[in-house]
Amino acid sequence: EDKVVQSPLSLVVHEGDTVTLNCSYEVTNFRSLLWYKQEKKAPTFLFMLTSSGIEKKSGRLSSILDKKELFSILNITATQTGDSAVYLCAQGVTGGGNKLTFGTGTQLKVEL
Amino acid sequence: NAGVMQNPRHLVRRRGQEARLRCSPMKGHSHVYWYRQLPEEGLKFMVYLQKENIIDESGMPKERFSAEFPKEGPSILRIQQVVRGDSAAYFCASSLGGLEPQHFGDGTRLSIL
């Protein structure tokens, strides 16, 4: 079974800090790498990456994929307390309709 | 609200009863996925359905669990004769298919007494 590993497991930072979250994956039929933000309810879609080296950006969040080294990072600049959440990384595979294999997440807490 | 709608939000059942969880996908989405999240664990894939068809059920327990997505109406995840170990959050996601991302509902939190 494909495995997705996220690090760190948890992180506490102060408002204004920049954080980098890591995700490594093992692949047999890689199709896509996705990032989600989960607060108390639904995981909210952030990014989907399919190509190496192309940064995706949305406001203070950005993400990039390295298909050679099998990892992705999610960067958050100028963090705010509203960024506190669990960030989930997931791998989609070819065949089987792109079902997702999730990591256990990084718990981020942003303090004042 | 055009998002993925799940109900009920919370469901309490006694051991041996049946649990039915419902999911209405986003408007225009015909691909539905169910995932289970156990306490302190990540989301685990259960089943992938398109209208009237189960495409991949490789994550479904072999017994007591079933899923459907009829031509009309929501997708249903059915758990018969529930046991304490079925207590979890069950999330539904939908997509347009292909490489389109999956969007999740708020989940149903199932508690077994």
Side-chain angles (χ1 to χ4, degrees):
Chain A
E1 184 179 302
D2 291 328
K3 197 173 174 184
V4 176
V5 178
Q6 294 187 244
S7 64
L9 289 180
S10 64
L11 191 56
V12 180
V13 299
H14 291 100
E15 265 202 334
D17 288 350
T18 293
V19 298
T20 298
L21 309 182
N22 303 295
C23 174
S24 65
Y25 61 95
E26 298 172 356
V27 58
T28 45
N29 299 305
F30 177 84
R31 189 175 193 181
S32 57
L33 192 291
L34 294 89
W35 285 95
Y36 289 85
K37 176 183 181 183
Q38 186 176 25
E39 297 171 87
K40 295 204 185 302
K41 300 179 187 175
T44 304
F45 172 72
L46 296 175
F47 299 110
M48 184 170 73
L49 304 148
T50 56
S51 300
S52 260
I54 299 174
E55 185 183 52
K56 293 227 173 171
K57 200 169 169 61
S58 176
R60 296 177 294 102
L61 277 67
S62 63
S63 183
I64 198 161
L65 176 68
D66 185 328
K67 289 168 79 171
K68 185 178 175 185
E69 300 297 330
L70 305 182
F71 78 88
S72 174
I73 60 172
L74 176 69
N75 279 318
I76 309 174
T77 59
T79 52
Q80 302 171 357
T81 54
D83 295 328
S84 297
V86 175
Y87 290 83
L88 300 169
C89 172
Q91 177 193 321
V93 297
T94 58
N98 202 30
K99 67 183 179 185
L100 299 177
T101 300
F102 280 86
T104 51
T106 292
Q107 172 91 57
L108 173 65
K109 185 175 180 183
V110 182
E111 295 180 335
L112 289 170
Chain B
N1 185 347
V4 178
M5 302 301 291
Q6 289 189 249
N7 68 82
R9 292 289 305 280
H10 301 275
L11 182 61
V12 180
R13 284 286 177 268
R14 295 187 181 280
R15 281 178 295 172
Q17 291 184 320
E18 178 179 288
R20 282 189 180 232
L21 288 60
R22 293 175 186 77
C23 169
S24 295
M26 283 179 73
K27 190 175 181 180
H29 288 191
S30 60
H31 299 249
V32 166
Y33 305 77
W34 286 93
Y35 293 83
R36 177 164 64 174
Q37 188 172 38
L38 293 167
E40 308 303 322
E41 292 189 19
L43 286 152
K44 302 284 188 200
F45 168 80
M46 298 181 76
V47 62
Y48 160 47
L49 310 104
Q50 292 183 33
K51 281 287 186 182
E52 300 185 276
N53 289 304
I54 296 174
I55 308 301
D56 181 350
E57 55 182 347
S58 58
M60 287 277 268
K62 293 285 183 275
E63 297 175 347
R64 303 187 297 108
F65 285 71
S66 62
E68 62 178 12
F69 189 16
K71 189 175 180 182
E72 302 291 336
S75 176
I76 306 285
L77 179 68
R78 183 182 178 207
I79 312 172
Q80 295 178 288
Q81 299 173 342
V82 295
V83 300
R84 288 241 171 94
D86 297 333
S87 295
Y90 291 83
F91 287 93
C92 170
S94 73
S95 81
L96 287 168
L99 262 184
E100 292 299 315
Q102 295 173 31
H103 296 271
F104 283 78
D106 283 344
T108 293
R109 271 135 186 97
L110 176 64
S111 298
I112 309 303
L113 301 179

Short mmCIF file of all heavy atoms in Angstrom, two decimals, chain A residues 4-5 26-27 31 36 40 55 60 63 70 74 91 99 110:
data_model
loop_
_atom_site.label_atom_id
_atom_site.label_comp_id
_atom_site.label_asym_id
_atom_site.label_seq_id
_atom_site.Cartn_x
_atom_site.Cartn_y
_atom_site.Cartn_z
N VAL A 4 2.05 7.79 2.64
CA VAL A 4 2.29 9.24 2.63
C VAL A 4 2.69 9.64 4.03
O VAL A 4 1.99 9.34 5.00
CB VAL A 4 1.01 10.00 2.20
CG1 VAL A 4 1.24 11.50 2.29
CG2 VAL A 4 0.60 9.60 0.79
N VAL A 5 3.85 10.29 4.15
CA VAL A 5 4.40 10.65 5.46
C VAL A 5 4.55 12.15 5.54
O VAL A 5 5.20 12.77 4.68
CB VAL A 5 5.77 9.97 5.70
CG1 VAL A 5 6.33 10.39 7.05
CG2 VAL A 5 5.62 8.46 5.63
N GLU A 26 5.40 7.46 -1.34
CA GLU A 26 5.92 6.31 -2.07
C GLU A 26 4.95 6.08 -3.22
O GLU A 26 3.75 6.16 -3.03
CB GLU A 26 5.96 5.07 -1.19
CG GLU A 26 6.86 5.22 0.02
CD GLU A 26 6.74 4.06 0.98
OE1 GLU A 26 5.89 3.18 0.73
OE2 GLU A 26 7.47 4.04 1.97
N VAL A 27 5.47 5.82 -4.38
CA VAL A 27 4.56 5.82 -5.51
C VAL A 27 4.73 4.57 -6.35
O VAL A 27 5.83 4.11 -6.63
CB VAL A 27 4.77 7.06 -6.39
CG1 VAL A 27 6.20 7.14 -6.90
CG2 VAL A 27 3.78 7.11 -7.52
N ARG A 31 -0.33 9.97 -9.55
CA ARG A 31 -1.12 10.80 -10.47
C ARG A 31 -1.12 12.26 -10.03
O ARG A 31 -1.02 13.16 -10.84
CB ARG A 31 -2.55 10.28 -10.52
CG ARG A 31 -3.40 10.92 -11.59
CD ARG A 31 -4.76 10.27 -11.66
NE ARG A 31 -5.48 10.66 -12.86
CZ ARG A 31 -6.70 10.25 -13.15
NH1 ARG A 31 -7.33 9.43 -12.34
NH2 ARG A 31 -7.31 10.65 -14.25
N TYR A 36 -4.73 19.69 1.74
CA TYR A 36 -6.00 20.12 2.31
C TYR A 36 -5.75 20.75 3.68
O TYR A 36 -4.79 20.40 4.38
CB TYR A 36 -6.97 18.95 2.51
CG TYR A 36 -7.54 18.36 1.25
CD1 TYR A 36 -6.84 17.40 0.53
CD2 TYR A 36 -8.79 18.76 0.79
CE1 TYR A 36 -7.38 16.84 -0.63
CE2 TYR A 36 -9.34 18.20 -0.37
CZ TYR A 36 -8.63 17.25 -1.06
OH TYR A 36 -9.17 16.71 -2.21
N LYS A 40 -12.23 22.08 12.16
CA LYS A 40 -13.03 21.10 12.89
C LYS A 40 -13.93 20.26 11.97
O LYS A 40 -14.47 19.26 12.39
CB LYS A 40 -13.88 21.82 13.93
CG LYS A 40 -13.06 22.49 15.02
CD LYS A 40 -13.85 22.67 16.29
CE LYS A 40 -13.09 23.44 17.34
NZ LYS A 40 -11.82 22.78 17.68
N GLU A 55 5.49 25.92 -9.03
CA GLU A 55 4.92 26.36 -7.78
C GLU A 55 3.47 26.81 -7.97
O GLU A 55 3.15 27.53 -8.91
CB GLU A 55 5.73 27.52 -7.19
CG GLU A 55 5.25 27.96 -5.81
CD GLU A 55 6.02 29.16 -5.27
OE1 GLU A 55 6.11 30.17 -5.99
OE2 GLU A 55 6.53 29.07 -4.13
N ARG A 60 -1.00 33.80 0.82
CA ARG A 60 0.22 33.53 1.61
C ARG A 60 0.65 32.07 1.55
O ARG A 60 1.66 31.70 2.13
CB ARG A 60 -0.05 33.93 3.06
CG ARG A 60 -0.33 35.43 3.25
CD ARG A 60 -0.66 35.78 4.70
NE ARG A 60 -1.93 35.19 5.11
CZ ARG A 60 -2.03 34.10 5.86
NH1 ARG A 60 -0.95 33.48 6.31
NH2 ARG A 60 -3.23 33.63 6.20
N SER A 63 2.89 25.98 -2.77
CA SER A 63 3.28 24.58 -2.69
C SER A 63 4.02 24.19 -3.95
O SER A 63 3.80 24.76 -5.03
CB SER A 63 2.03 23.69 -2.53
OG SER A 63 2.42 22.34 -2.38
N LEU A 70 10.33 12.60 -4.68
CA LEU A 70 9.06 12.13 -4.12
C LEU A 70 8.65 12.91 -2.87
O LEU A 70 8.35 12.32 -1.82
CB LEU A 70 9.12 10.63 -3.81
CG LEU A 70 9.51 9.72 -4.96
CD1 LEU A 70 9.46 8.26 -4.52
CD2 LEU A 70 8.62 9.92 -6.18
N LEU A 74 4.57 22.58 1.62
CA LEU A 74 3.55 23.62 1.69
C LEU A 74 4.14 24.74 2.55
O LEU A 74 4.55 24.50 3.68
CB LEU A 74 2.27 23.09 2.33
CG LEU A 74 1.15 24.11 2.57
CD1 LEU A 74 0.56 24.58 1.25
CD2 LEU A 74 0.06 23.51 3.46
N GLN A 91 -2.07 11.63 -1.73
CA GLN A 91 -1.60 11.21 -3.05
C GLN A 91 -2.75 10.57 -3.81
O GLN A 91 -3.46 9.72 -3.27
CB GLN A 91 -0.47 10.20 -2.90
CG GLN A 91 0.04 9.64 -4.22
CD GLN A 91 0.91 8.43 -4.01
OE1 GLN A 91 1.70 8.37 -3.07
NE2 GLN A 91 0.78 7.45 -4.88
N LYS A 99 -8.54 7.60 -6.22
CA LYS A 99 -8.73 7.57 -4.78
C LYS A 99 -7.49 8.14 -4.12
O LYS A 99 -6.38 8.05 -4.65
CB LYS A 99 -8.98 6.14 -4.29
CG LYS A 99 -7.79 5.21 -4.44
CD LYS A 99 -8.16 3.80 -4.00
CE LYS A 99 -6.97 2.88 -4.16
NZ LYS A 99 -7.33 1.48 -3.85
N VAL A 110 -0.88 28.55 15.53
CA VAL A 110 -0.28 29.87 15.42
C VAL A 110 -0.74 30.69 16.62
O VAL A 110 -1.95 30.90 16.80
CB VAL A 110 -0.69 30.57 14.11
CG1 VAL A 110 -0.01 31.93 14.01
CG2 VAL A 110 -0.34 29.69 12.91
#
